[in-house]
Amino acid sequence: MAGFINRAQFERDHNGQRDICAADGHPGTDADPLVKTTDGWRVHLSDTTNPNSGFYGQQQGS
């Protein structure tokens, strides 16, 4: 999972929350893995593809 993460996400990662969605606090799953947003958060893929989500369209390219 290369790419940019922001300072707050960096702190979350080192606080044991690397596999926890920053949006809802639930872990990523095989069906809905975590991806990085353009502003550096780890959220569920569905958060970036749901037009009703504040993270819609914000997935970092691979």
Side-chain angles (χ1 to χ4, degrees):
M1 208 186 263
F4 167 75
I5 58 169
N6 64 44
R7 181 68 182 167
Q9 184 62 61
F10 177 84
E11 291 173 7
R12 287 173 54 82
D13 288 358
H14 290 277
N15 196 29
Q17 296 175 302
R18 182 181 180 93
D19 298 319
I20 303 296
C21 176
D24 67 13
H26 292 92
T29 65
D30 288 341
D32 197 9
L34 298 183
V35 298
K36 293 179 190 162
T37 65
T38 54
D39 56 356
W41 293 103
R42 291 186 207 282
V43 299
H44 289 105
L45 175 61
S46 62
D47 290 319
T48 66
T49 58
N50 178 350
N52 295 319
S53 168
F55 293 103
Y56 178 66
Q58 293 190 39
Q59 183 179 352
Q60 286 184 27
S62 43

